[in-house]
Amino acid sequence: MIEKSSKSDGKYIAVHLRFEEDMIAFSCCIYDGGKAEKLEMDSAREKGWRGKFKRKDRIILPNLNRVDGKCPLTPLEVGMMLRGMGFDNNTSIYLASGKIYHAERYLAPLKMMFPNLYTKESLATSYELAPFMGYSSQLAALDYTVCLFSEAFVTTQGGNFPHFLMGHRRFIYDGHSKTINPDKRKLVLLLDDVDISWKTFKEQMEDMLSESDRKGIMVPRVRKINRKTSIYMYPLPECRCLQQSMADEIDQIRHSE
């Protein structure tokens, strides 16, 4: 990725995109709303969760899920957000994800907005990836490693992957994770507003970026015990004693490239 990002001094942003079929099925969100999508999602839910979503006491409200920010962002929505935040079509992007749902259709708009878009499949040869194929956790580890050294990390959905990564980046970058963690409730309202101007949308995205950057800065301080605060997301100052050894290890890796 550093080589592919030579026009930007080796800097790139990493986007963790959770737009896989199982993620969409579990969220119970609706996208194109067609019959084919419904059949695919019903099949995926039955295969993965065996009747869990067919219980009489389970009420599914897709529109409410979206307003609550619980729907996975589409590649197009991610692209709109990033362009609104000021990233132009020269930006190098590493896309960390599993198999994108109908990738040939849904990824096309993102690729048009950001032609310098890469994945582990486009950066590595099939021979290099062969030992990892069939092992989802190992493939995720490849994504994790590339995301770790990105200039900025964009998270679009919760979960262990982004939480651990945000904390790891805080750890190695001395408290500043440079993470773009959008307010999805606010974002979907803006995206669904058909009358909003590009100028207004862009201003809102720039404000969201500033707020996200502000929250990404964690001033190390001794914390009182708080069961709601994860040491994986907020590793400082408790893990500061390990920080220098980690920094030395990273320098060795970079100098060996």
Side-chain angles (χ1 to χ4, degrees):
M1 273 306 298
I2 293 175
E3 181 182 338
K4 295 289 186 181
S5 310
S6 58
K7 292 183 179 179
S8 54
D9 297 324
K11 297 178 181 179
Y12 60 93
I13 67 173
V15 177
H16 183 221
L17 183 63
R18 293 307 315 276
F19 199 68
E20 301 98 346
E21 182 179 79
D22 61 338
M23 191 68 189
I24 297 171
F26 187 79
S27 72
C28 295
C29 297
I30 295 175
Y31 289 91
D32 67 18
K35 183 177 180 180
E37 179 185 274
K38 184 180 185 307
L39 290 173
E40 287 174 344
M41 293 300 102
D42 286 345
S43 175
R45 292 185 192 110
E46 189 61 27
K47 180 181 178 181
W49 297 279
R50 294 184 180 180
K52 177 179 180 179
F53 294 92
K54 291 183 177 180
R55 294 201 306 256
K56 293 181 179 180
D57 61 338
R58 190 176 188 92
I59 300 174
I60 299 174
L61 300 172
N63 291 336
L64 183 59
N65 287 348
R66 180 166 174 79
V67 172
D68 283 344
K70 296 178 180 179
C71 293
L73 293 176
T74 68
L76 173 59
E77 290 170 338
V78 172
M80 292 288 290
M81 178 187 74
L82 292 177
R83 290 303 289 267
M85 289 179 173
F87 295 98
D88 60 26
N89 59 3
N90 292 316
T91 303
S92 292
I93 292 180
Y94 179 79
L95 197 64
S97 72
K99 185 178 179 181
I100 299 297
Y101 176 63
H102 288 308
E104 66 283 353
R105 173 156 54 102
Y106 283 107
L107 267 182
L110 184 60
K111 288 181 178 179
M112 288 183 66
M113 285 186 275
F114 296 98
N116 298 320
L117 182 74
Y118 304 97
T119 63
K120 53 184 172 292
E121 289 82 7
S122 65
L123 291 173
T125 65
S126 56
Y127 176 79
E128 290 170 327
L129 286 177
F132 306 98
M133 299 307 293
Y135 302 96
S136 59
S137 60
Q138 293 185 23
L139 290 170
L142 295 178
D143 282 338
Y144 186 100
T145 303
V146 182
C147 291
L148 185 63
F149 298 107
S150 61
E151 179 69 11
F153 171 63
V154 182
T155 175
T156 63
Q157 196 79 7
N160 290 333
F161 184 100
H163 290 166
F164 289 154
L165 191 54
M166 289 160 66
H168 198 165
R169 287 169 59 81
R170 283 190 176 101
F171 179 78
I172 65 176
Y173 296 122
D174 198 25
H176 197 305
S177 64
K178 293 187 178 180
T179 297
I180 298 175
N181 189 8
D183 181 343
K184 289 179 65 179
R185 289 186 180 91
K186 181 178 180 179
L187 179 60
V188 296
L189 288 176
L190 295 170
L191 288 168
D192 290 347
D193 185 354
V194 295
D195 296 320
I196 193 171
S197 67
W198 175 248
K199 179 182 178 182
T200 300
F201 180 79
K202 195 171 187 298
E203 289 172 350
Q204 292 290 329
M205 290 301 97
E206 289 171 349
D207 288 344
M208 192 177 291
L209 177 60
S210 297
E211 178 65 11
S212 186
D213 194 49
R214 183 187 69 79
K215 289 181 178 179
I217 300 173
M218 190 208 69
V219 180
R221 58 172 62 92
V222 177
R223 297 194 309 270
K224 294 181 180 179
I225 296 175
N226 184 347
R227 294 183 183 275
K228 293 183 180 180
T229 301
S230 167
I231 195 171
Y232 298 109
M233 285 187 68
Y234 300 96
L236 302 177
E238 285 85 347
C239 300
R240 181 178 287 280
C241 58
L242 301 174
Q243 201 164 25
Q244 187 57 50
S245 62
M246 174 65 76
D248 293 341
E249 190 173 328
I250 291 171
D251 285 340
Q252 291 179 1
I253 292 173
R254 285 176 172 169
H255 289 145
S256 66
E257 293 176 350

